[in-house]
Amino acid sequence: MNALADDPGHETASPVGATIPMRVRDRLGLRFWLPAAWITMVVVLAATASLLPLPSPIETDFTALSNWPDRAHWFGTDQLGRDILSRAIFGARISLTVGLLAPALGLGIGMLLGMTAGYFRGRVEIVIGAAMDAVMAFPGILVVLAVTAYVGASVPLLVILLGVLTVPTFMRVARANTLVFAQHDFVLAARAMGATHWRVLSLELLPNVMIPILIYALLVVSRIIVVEGVLSFLGLSLPAPWPTWGNMIADGQVELATLPYIPFIPAALMFLTVLSINLIGERLRARTDLRGSVL
Amino acid sequence: MTSYVLRKLLRLGLVLLVVAAASFLLMNLLPGDVALALLGNEATPEAVAQVRAELGLDQPLLMRYLHWLGGFLCGDLGRSYITQVPVMESILDRLPVTIELMLLSQGLALLIAVPTGVLCAYKAGSRIDQLANAVGLFLLAAPVFILAILLMFLFALKLRWLPSTGYVPFMTDPVRNLAHLALPALAIALAEWPSLFAVLRGDMIKTLQQDYIALAKAKGLGPAFILFRHALRPSSFTLVTLSGLQIAATIAGALVVETIFGLPGIGRMLTGAVYNRDMMLVQGCVAVISVGYVLINFGVDLIYALLDPRVRQ
Amino acid sequence: MMDAGLPLLEVTDLATHFHTQRGLLRAVDGVSFSVRRGQTLGIVGESGSGKSALARTIIRILSKRHTTTTGRITFEGRDLLTVSEPDMRDIRGRDIAMVFQDPTSSLNPVKQVGVQIEEVLARHLGLRGRAAQTRAIELLTSVGMPLPQERLHQYPHQLSGGMRQRVAIAIALACEPKLLIADEPTTALDVTIQAQILDLLHRRQKAHHMAMILISHDLGVVAGYTDTVAVMYAGQIVEQASTRSLFRNCRMPYTAALMRSAPNLSDPPHTRLRAITGRPPDMVLPPPGCRFEPRCDDATDICRNRRPALSASDADGTHRYACWHPVASPGASA
Ligand SMILES: Nc1ncnc2c1ncn2[C@@H]1O[C@H](COP(=O)(O)OP(=O)(O)OP(=O)(O)O)[C@@H](O)[C@H]1O
Ligand code: SF4
Ligand SMILES: [Mg+2]
């Protein structure tokens, strides 16, 4: 319970909440470093997967069908005798690729639009805002389904679609922060000294808008990992036999009653990864004092 | 009030047109050719041309849109290329299951979120509040399909309290119908609870610091009365808006949950249609679901006005 | 002018400390006073001096988790600090009622005016339905509300500020309380409305023989409507006297400064008000001696180091002040 006691993630709690010494709030603490260690491990394993001494993630081994976890296969094997550890590590690649690239794309476009809207205001802001509203009028998952139905499932397509769908939220965060910082003295001073718009935007505003938006991006990363999970669970991500956490869960779910470890191992990995990213994001958010209310 | 509704209705009309156009364009501007997809890559050019003519694909885009829109307004969404069943018929067949699932899950989510949100706001910072927040953090990290298989494993396969798959229409047997829908609805509700809870709790804490709550206390009213009759309504504006927007998440939830629990809803049909590249069916489902989504959010705007008398002006 | 016998409310050595991130905030720090039936006590002090905290402590509506209260609040012979919460709920709104500073924020924005009046009638008098409605209309009429019948179904945002405060007063008077605490009831209102509201409170008080605590940051407001006045500074009472005695010869430099900073009707127009320089002390770490010392022109070493106690200035001990170097006694106020 102690770890929860100094939980500033819910700063709205009360202005006169428990008296927390400032020092404790300043340390990042175990709630940051444990998740960070987990994420680092997942990233390193996924990146070096092909160098590691792992059995093939796709070759079936009929001598080892549905083995529960043991010394030879730490995470066991699935119904086709494939090593689950190996599949999980290769599957992490997809989650991470989509989870990082799609928000990166959305962040790039969203920040450009958001800063433009927040800095120039007026008609530009209205047009950009309306365009974003139009994107948001649709439940995003439907767009992804419809397009994949047409073009066929593939990872690059997923990155592009999910990236575009994150643009509106990034745009909002960028615009809100630009609005705040555009009123600050250093920006007004820079403009008074005759700095061009481009200079003000790139040198004065960008560094300040970047930090809150990067922290916000963590939240989006965890959400996109979940969405990718849903889509690959539905078979709309990387085609079989290549593993993703989502399709591993989907395949394993068939024999949930007798072989529960098959779906629950990738499920647990995904859960821990998403939880870790959320915890890190929450910690950083508390540190930089970015409140949800900016959105 | 009337002018507010009129304004919202106007907006609704515009958004619906945009959504309809977008659903249509999505299907018609994308690379790839329906006829080709239908016949396979080995089809002769003549056969392709014939199919295109049959489907009206050789008409100009605008004509096709107007044609489609006209059909859409009359409830005619064309026929599936594959099964030849009218799309509207398939949808109407499956829609009740999904609507029931959505209502149940959304209702359940609110049923859990409102008391917990109110209680934790009242006791902000206490043990129980910390516990609820920790649970929220965990649930937030558990995607709906993980929750679904976890619930299925525990309550259907191990404890055998509830059926794991299948569906019985409500009219046939209400009890068994609810038994089949309980776990799917719970999975979606649990996935949605954290955000609803956090929003209500946050707004409620702000409300409880207002002077009118101090006045309510000064009147001698009890805590339950103050929380539910004074504080809840002004604290629920964001909650209401959010639960409308959350429908989008519920749709994604329905897609997977219907697949996992074998419910014959529109979500599972849509997933199937995507596999089979049944474009007419996909287009119809997308249009119907999107329109439903827009309508729900219109309803939310109206509820909002009922909750806050200041908005009506 | 005053009743004999026991006071209705007697506050003894009352202290309220908020638990804040920085430590204990001593919003009220050792306050004693009493109010008799039918009498009006004025409490005056700058913003942040702890007036609202004092008022909220008396009716016990501060969050228990975040505050500590010590001392005694004797109301009709009972110590309100030891009364159980359900009993206290019966007292609030029925025996002691409160009017808040800003009627815009003290009325629930999403409830009709009538409902907000009727719920207190239902809570304490068991009036419901028609009876409650009739009584609500009576109350609205008695606070000078035009078209009371129609007001019942209006929302606060449809009323003007003065109207809203009338509604708040109607709510407070609904059960004919023995004590009314009015916490700066006119601060948020237009100057022209202020006098109307104060007159209204005064009239209702006389009509019901009700005791009243009238809180204000403006000595001028208090002058015409109170029998006694307590001046508050940094959580403490620094001077206390009958209104007449206080205005005739105030002894404490802070009171004198307050008087100079209040606009005086007899001043020639455009006379510059002399605001008190500096700001009230940080109540987490108040000065060890006299709390006014950092801002006081007459301060000496003793003021810095030792806290002056309340001491009597006249024979019967009703005029008391806390100061090492009191202002000259007769006709001190300029
Ligand atoms: N809930 C609270 N938590 C922490 N500190 C508080 C709280 N309420 C008031 N305070 C502090 O207590 C002190 C006294 O506040 P209070 O509201 O009683 O002043 P006041 O005399 O009523 O001022 P005003 O004229 O502005 O109403 C102030 O320093 C204020 O910051
Ligand atoms: S005690 Fe000293 S500092 Fe305080 S008011 Fe009197 S003269 Fe001023
Ligand atoms: Mg006050």
Side-chain angles (χ1 to χ4, degrees), chain A residues 10 12-13 15 31 137-138 142 145-146 149-152 226 229-230 233-234 249 253 256 260 264 267 271 275 279 282, chain B residues 19 22 26-27 31 34 133 137-138 141 143 145-146 149-150 153 157 205 209 255-256 260 270 275 277 279 289-290 293:
Chain A
H10 306 280
T12 44
R31 284 186 71 182
F138 262 106
L142 287 184
L145 283 180
Y150 226 102
V151 193
V226 170
V230 169
F233 181 88
L234 295 174
I249 298 173
Q253 187 242 326
L256 185 59
F264 281 133
F271 170 72
L275 180 66
L279 284 171
E282 184 182 296
Chain B
V19 165
L26 205 58
M27 294 294 122
V34 178
N133 280 310
L137 206 62
F138 276 71
F145 58 98
I146 292 185
I149 60 170
L150 199 62
F153 181 69
L157 301 176
I205 285 174
Q209 288 162 358
L255 285 174
V256 282
I260 294 175
L270 175 57
Y275 285 132
R277 307 197 133 191
M279 302 320 295
I289 297 176
S290 305
Y293 179 66

Side-chain angles (χ1 to χ4, degrees), chain A residues 1-31:
Chain A
M1 277 324 261
N2 201 18
L4 299 172
D6 59 351
D7 173 10
H10 306 280
E11 289 137 308
T12 44
S14 65
V16 287
T19 39
I20 305 156
M22 280 311 185
R23 278 173 294 110
V24 180
R25 299 189 86 222
D26 281 344
R27 277 206 315 260
L28 285 168
L30 224 55
R31 284 186 71 182

Side-chain angles (χ1 to χ4, degrees), chain C residues 4 50 54 74 88 104 111-112 118 123 127 141 162 194-195 199 213 227 244 253 278 296 309:
Chain C
L54 174 62
T74 316
M88 192 65 211
T104 306
K111 288 191 143 200
Q112 291 176 1
E118 285 159 29
R123 169 71 182 82
L127 289 181
T141 314
Q194 288 190 7
D199 283 334
I213 297 179
D227 304 301
R244 175 196 294 248
C296 181

